[in-house]
Amino acid sequence: MAFTAVIRRDLLLAIRHPAQAIDPLIFFLLVIALFPLGASPRRELLELVAPGVFWIAALLSTLLSLERMFRPDFEDGSLDLMLASPAPLPLIVLAKIIAHWLVTAIPLLLAAPLFSLLLGLPTTALPALLATLVLGTPTLSAIGAIGVALTTGLQRGGVLLSLLVLPLYVPVLVFATGAISAAANDLPFTGQIYILGALAALSCTLGAFVAAAALKIATS
Amino acid sequence: MIPHPLLEIIDLASHRGDRILFEGLCLRIHLGEAIQISGPNGSGKTTLLRIVCGLLAPTAGTIRWQGSPIAFGDADLRSDIGHLGHAKGVKVDLTPKENLAFAIALSERPTGTPIDEALDRLGMGAFGDTPVRRLSAGQRQRVALARLLVCKARLWVLDEPFTALDVQGIEAIGSMITDHGKEGGAVLMSSHQPISLEGIPLRTVFIEKGGSTTLSSLDAIEPWASNVETVRR
């Protein structure tokens, strides 16, 4: 019951404050819109780097939204309520991860086909792009939860959070961009997708436990 | 046979870095009574209350719940404690009703007093659907207090419950505590103000600054309680 209540409450808060979901998306849009201006608008070059640019923008925009996962609750005491709840803490953390994913990844998924046009990604790569987003973003939320749980009690945890979390995002980045590039060249990409799926399964199951332990340490 | 006290804390110690907050602190709470923890700022009142709620781990000490030893922060213990801390745990973007419904779901127990009734009792009946952001500090405190009524818990742990409350608010919480005691609950609270409760026994415990043990008006620890194992962390 606590599990669904946490998801429902976080979604309700996101609806009351849509900026939570829209800000990372606008940041994402800016990064990929600036890239052709800064590098080169030539189609051949863009096609080559589009998967990398797309996913780096996704990582950075996720990082932007991570702080909100526990910090507001920590500051207003809601986190104490959750820690004091008889429900197992990993379950509550898992609910927070799911809510974060729903709020940040779903808008990105919906906007991805449109944004991929900005980078001139061939339409043949679109299924691969969506598949990597569906399987990759849960890993981003779950690993992010660990980092943000560790830095919750700190006054300024922003830079530390990126140092902790970004290196752990590397496998997702590598296999996701690999899959999209392969699809763009009409090569099979199921291998990379399987690995992304395995990463998601691992991080979502173990991540909640690790983040729960980190949260206990950070708040005591 | 004397019934077991609801909660016993034996030889509790807590340190912040190298600084000793308190050591050898013993406390016994019976059903139907209220205990006020008093002491200067920085003496560890909040820490003590957070330890009881399982939010902080003590350096040393044992805790007994209804006579049997239990781990600090055990789920059984947590489910029977209603906690009101310095940070209220009230979301400003939600309405009081939504806040209370969330608290009930988190407590994983049946509702105590219905939400509307609890808000009425604290004089917040008209504000049930107003976002907490638009309420004053005292009204937010009342919303947080209503949480104690809607979530059924035998032990209330209240950290400075009178903060920001007006005269009526202080009276309301006084009667809440008295009723809770009469219904077989217990209250552990920290406060600087002298409190008077009619109808249930109130004991005051002082923690002195930098404190080794200071106990006042506490019954001596019975022999069987002294040889329990000490949990060191």
Side-chain angles (χ1 to χ4, degrees):
Chain A
M1 199 151 116
F3 180 75
T4 48
V6 170
I7 297 182
R8 206 171 330 117
R9 189 204 66 156
D10 277 12
L11 292 182
L12 192 61
L13 287 173
I15 291 167
R16 299 263 157 95
H17 272 281
Q20 240 185 86
I22 293 169
D23 285 356
L25 206 61
I26 290 175
F27 177 80
F28 184 91
L29 180 64
L30 282 176
V31 173
I32 61 168
L34 288 178
F35 190 81
L37 296 178
S40 153
R42 274 191 301 133
R43 207 182 169 89
E44 316 82 77
L45 182 81
L46 275 183
E47 263 177 35
L48 199 66
V49 294
V53 173
F54 200 96
W55 262 94
I56 289 172
L59 295 194
L60 294 180
S61 71
T62 303
L63 207 57
L64 206 65
S65 64
L66 277 180
E67 284 266 306
R68 292 203 57 86
M69 209 190 278
F70 295 119
R71 184 165 292 264
D73 286 341
F74 175 71
E75 278 164 2
D76 66 18
S78 308
L79 193 61
D80 280 350
L81 279 189
M82 296 182 207
L83 289 167
S85 160
L89 190 57
L91 203 64
I92 291 176
V93 171
L94 186 63
K96 296 286 292 181
I97 294 173
I98 292 172
H100 177 262
W101 183 79
L102 289 173
V103 170
T104 59
I106 297 290
L108 183 59
L109 262 173
L110 294 177
L114 198 64
F115 288 178
S116 70
L117 291 179
L118 275 176
L119 286 173
L121 202 70
T123 43
T124 47
L126 197 58
L129 175 70
L130 292 178
T132 57
L133 281 176
V134 167
L135 290 171
T137 44
T139 313
L140 301 190
S141 294
I143 293 179
I146 302 172
V148 83
L150 275 172
T151 53
T152 292
L154 304 177
Q155 281 303 316
R156 303 180 63 87
V159 181
L160 185 61
L161 177 66
S162 8
L163 286 179
L164 276 172
V165 163
L166 279 179
L168 295 172
Y169 282 172
V170 169
V172 178
L173 179 68
V174 169
F175 289 106
T177 51
I180 302 169
S181 300
N185 293 314
D186 289 325
L187 294 169
F189 57 90
T190 41
Q192 288 95 325
I193 294 294
Y194 285 150
I195 290 181
L196 283 178
L199 285 173
L202 184 73
S203 60
C204 288
T205 46
L206 294 184
F209 287 94
V210 180
L215 212 50
K216 283 232 147 170
I217 296 169
T219 53
S220 61
Chain B
M1 194 186 143
I2 312 156
H4 285 298
L6 182 66
L7 181 81
E8 271 177 293
I9 293 166
I10 302 149
D11 273 341
L12 194 72
S14 181
H15 299 238
R16 269 271 175 259
D18 288 340
R19 201 163 62 91
I20 299 167
L21 275 178
F22 47 76
E23 261 181 348
L25 192 138
C26 300
L27 192 65
R28 186 176 296 170
I29 305 163
H30 293 271
L31 286 172
E33 72 169 350
I35 292 184
Q36 177 190 7
I37 311 276
S38 189
N41 297 127
S43 55
K45 298 187 294 293
T46 297
T47 306
L48 170 64
L49 298 186
R50 288 179 69 85
I51 288 173
V52 171
C53 295
L55 293 169
L56 277 181
T59 328
T62 322
I63 189 165
R64 283 165 178 269
W65 181 248
Q66 298 176 297
S68 46
I70 196 167
F72 284 95
D74 189 276
D76 284 348
L77 190 65
R78 282 184 307 191
S79 72
D80 226 355
I81 289 182
H83 177 231
L84 175 66
H86 270 296
K88 306 289 163 249
V90 174
K91 272 275 171 225
V92 292
D93 292 319
L94 301 179
T95 66
K97 280 184 185 171
E98 286 163 347
N99 267 301
L100 294 177
F102 177 63
I104 294 169
L106 268 188
S107 75
E108 301 219 306
R109 309 186 103 212
T111 315
T113 316
I115 292 178
D116 288 324
E117 206 176 297
L119 285 172
D120 273 342
R121 186 158 174 198
L122 283 150
M124 293 293 297
F127 300 98
D129 293 315
T130 312
V132 173
R133 187 178 288 288
R134 291 203 223 123
L135 302 179
S136 73
Q139 289 174 317
R140 291 178 193 192
Q141 179 75 355
R142 287 169 189 242
V143 174
L145 286 165
R147 197 170 65 221
L148 297 169
L149 294 174
V150 297
C151 302
K152 246 186 153 112
R154 269 187 298 177
L155 179 60
W156 288 357
V157 177
L158 316 178
D159 199 349
E160 300 287 353
F162 302 104
T163 314
L165 288 178
D166 55 13
V167 180
Q168 287 85 11
I170 292 174
E171 270 170 24
I173 176 168
S175 80
M176 256 173 69
I177 291 173
T178 315
D179 289 352
H180 183 59
K182 283 177 183 161
E183 285 160 14
V187 180
L188 177 66
M189 60 183 152
S190 75
S191 179
H192 296 290
Q193 288 153 308
I195 311 165
S196 61
L197 296 175
E198 279 165 33
I200 63 165
L202 170 73
R203 289 188 292 143
T204 306
V205 178
F206 294 97
I207 305 182
E208 271 178 11
K209 191 151 194 171
S212 50
T213 338
T214 315
L215 305 169
S216 98
S217 68
L218 278 182
D219 6 340
I221 292 291
E222 287 149 32
W224 56 262
S226 58
N227 53 22
V228 289
E229 72 277 35
T230 306
V231 183
R232 294 217 171 258
R233 302 194 181 208

